[in-house]
Amino acid sequence: MTNQSHKIASVVGARPQFIKLAAFHRAVCTEPALTHVIIHSGQHYDHDMSEQFFKEFNLPEPNYNLGVGSLPHNLQIARCLEGLDAIYEMEKPDLVVVYGDTNTTAAGAIAAAKRNIPLAHIEAGLREFDKSIPEEVNKLITDALTDLYFTPTETGRQNLAREGRIKNVYVTGDISLDLIFHENIKDTDSPVPEPYVFATCHRASNTENRDRLKEILTALGSLGKKVIFPVHPRTRAAIESFGFSSLIDKEAIKIMEPCGFFETQRLIRHASFVVTDSGGVIKESYFHKVPCLIIDSQTEWMETVEEGWSVITGPKKGVIVQACKEYKLPGYHSNCLGDGKAGRRIVEKLKEYLNIPQP
Ligand code: UD1
């Protein structure tokens, strides 16, 4: 084997992927035998949804930005495919890494498979068993084309095994938790206000459905606690287009712009409760041992429900309010989602796969 450098191309495009990319990039940078090319699809483009994270994590500017922007799903994937194909042709990566379950992920996977470039999927194997969810379709497409599966949990490994995928499957823990383990998360001196609930909402099933969004917004105003609610751009647009601004109880709900990763962790950590439909926020609440009400009909992070840290309420006002009142803290927390070493494990397996000798 020569000392030649191997080129890994990461394909990212949406907020949760910048977080996973940050952890992966740090692990890759310690490897002289690996070169890392970062391709941003441009699926997320607002400062608060994209650039903020590159700055916060000291990530280099992406080598490419396709600038696909907001489009209907198939068109967004098509634009990504077109741009990625040209970049793969130019860069000739030895391996492509995709993350999670977005349209960018699916496009990154298809483009790699069509060019016979080995594909690694970080956050493989997660399933919600409902193909009406856009992310579920992306997960299925991506795992069908993946060569190296990095799954955060044992549940992920079992899901893959059920689909006959048993080769090159590695349970690594969740890579975004690496950042919480390794960063010295400072509590700023600013006092956290009186007990509050931290809320987020962005899933298409909640934001595109008038009745559900109404239930969620009125539930947030009825929890009997102050609510801190950073609003995703799609949710803000939905609130405006449904004419729901007046439903938001301004006394009870503090609306804010989407915040950075570490500020989000601080707000989760000090909350009495979290209310969310975001997979990332569900697992971070579990990590910080803060109860989480899941305003969705299912989750891919069932471990958190089984241990009693999360409760699936769905987007129903009555159920959300009641769950908030009746919730009892569980006596057990297995820390099963990660130990801060996922990035390292992934890089080791990539080196093995690429036949890079150990020093
Ligand atoms: C996407 C992912 C979802 C992920 C989420 C994290 C898919 C199918 N969905 O959902 O899995 O959990 O990112 O946020 O890939 N918008 C802006 N500015 C932005 C980004 C989005 O205004 O920077 C608005 C646009 O109105 C856009 C809408 O949000 O039409 C939806 O954006 P899109 O990227 O398609 O999906 P997300 O809801 O962000």
Side-chain angles (χ1 to χ4, degrees):
M1 198 61 222
T2 64
N3 288 332
Q4 144 222 358
S5 183
H6 289 70
K7 191 185 285 182
I8 294 184
S10 275
V11 180
V12 292
R15 179 168 62 174
Q17 296 167 336
F18 309 138
I19 297 164
K20 291 170 195 130
L21 170 74
F24 180 68
H25 184 70
R26 285 177 192 185
V28 171
C29 281
T30 62
E31 288 300 332
L34 297 175
T35 311
H36 195 198
V37 173
I38 299 174
I39 310 172
H40 188 326
S41 69
Q43 178 172 346
H44 284 178
Y45 44 89
D46 285 352
H47 172 274
D48 290 349
M49 299 295 287
S50 175
E51 206 185 323
Q52 153 162 240
F53 296 92
F54 281 80
K55 289 209 170 109
E56 189 173 17
F57 297 126
N58 262 327
L59 275 165
E61 290 263 312
N63 300 78
Y64 300 91
N65 190 324
L66 303 177
V68 297
S70 300
L71 289 166
H73 289 233
N74 281 330
L75 272 184
Q76 198 171 48
I77 290 177
R79 288 277 159 77
C80 287
L81 277 176
E82 203 180 358
L84 288 170
D85 193 55
I87 296 169
Y88 290 174
E89 163 72 11
M90 230 168 6
E91 289 283 348
K92 303 202 174 4
D94 296 292
L95 185 130
V96 166
V97 179
V98 292
Y99 306 74
D101 57 11
T102 70
N103 292 339
T104 299
T105 312
I110 297 168
K114 284 289 180 188
R115 283 198 170 267
N116 288 321
I117 305 168
L119 177 72
H121 184 199
I122 295 183
E123 208 172 83
L126 299 188
R127 298 288 180 268
E128 289 180 89
F129 306 103
D130 177 354
K131 274 205 283 183
S132 71
I133 304 170
E135 287 80 4
E136 183 77 358
V137 177
N138 293 333
K139 288 170 192 170
L140 293 170
I141 293 172
T142 306
D143 282 341
L145 301 174
T146 292
D147 299 291
L148 279 133
Y149 303 89
F150 297 114
T151 183
T153 56
E154 183 53 30
T155 311
R157 191 192 62 71
Q158 287 165 11
N159 289 338
L160 290 166
R162 227 176 285 122
E163 295 167 6
R165 305 182 209 289
I166 45 176
K167 200 172 152 223
N168 294 333
V169 173
Y170 305 102
V171 180
T172 59
D174 174 55
I175 194 165
S176 24
L177 295 185
D178 285 16
L179 295 167
I180 312 184
F181 273 95
H182 295 304
E183 286 291 326
N184 187 11
I185 300 184
K186 289 188 282 296
D187 251 340
T188 60
D189 289 332
S190 59
V192 176
E194 75 276 21
Y196 65 93
V197 173
F198 179 73
T200 78
C201 169
H202 80 281
R203 288 277 194 146
S205 56
N206 285 333
T207 56
E208 285 173 5
N209 183 305
R210 196 188 167 86
D211 295 338
R212 287 192 200 150
L213 188 58
K214 189 173 178 184
E215 291 272 320
I216 292 166
L217 295 175
T218 49
L220 293 182
S222 317
L223 297 177
K225 283 195 173 77
K226 190 166 182 72
V227 175
I228 297 184
F229 183 23
V231 185
H232 188 288
R234 87 177 304 155
T235 314
R236 192 176 283 275
I239 291 171
E240 272 162 31
S241 73
F242 290 136
F244 284 168
S245 300
S246 59
L247 280 184
I248 296 177
D249 176 344
K250 306 269 176 341
E251 284 295 297
I253 305 175
K254 185 182 171 216
I255 296 277
M256 57 195 277
E257 295 300 320
C259 37
F261 181 74
F262 294 114
E263 176 62 0
T264 303
Q265 301 314 308
R266 187 176 83 91
L267 289 172
I268 294 174
R269 210 143 65 88
H270 294 287
S272 314
F273 266 98
V274 167
V275 175
T276 190
D277 58 8
S278 152
V281 175
I282 293 168
K283 70 190 173 201
E284 287 152 10
S285 305
Y286 172 82
F287 177 83
H288 294 298
K289 301 192 175 121
V290 174
C292 177
L293 307 184
I294 303 175
I295 47 172
D296 205 346
S297 29
Q298 67 278 304
T299 175
E300 65 267 81
W301 302 101
M302 275 308 287
E303 296 81 356
T304 69
V305 178
E306 282 153 13
E307 289 189 19
W309 290 95
S310 300
V311 177
I312 298 177
T313 61
K316 285 260 172 268
K317 179 186 166 195
V319 188
I320 298 168
V321 173
Q322 195 170 349
C324 193
K325 277 197 194 117
E326 291 176 357
Y327 181 85
K328 292 217 168 31
L329 270 180
Y332 177 67
H333 187 283
S334 72
N335 244 330
C336 62
L337 298 187
D339 61 359
K341 296 182 185 141
R344 198 62 259 146
R345 289 189 186 104
I346 292 170
V347 167
E348 287 310 316
K349 289 298 168 195
L350 291 182
K351 281 169 61 191
E352 245 175 75
Y353 186 85
L354 294 168
N355 285 323
I356 297 171
Q358 299 299 331

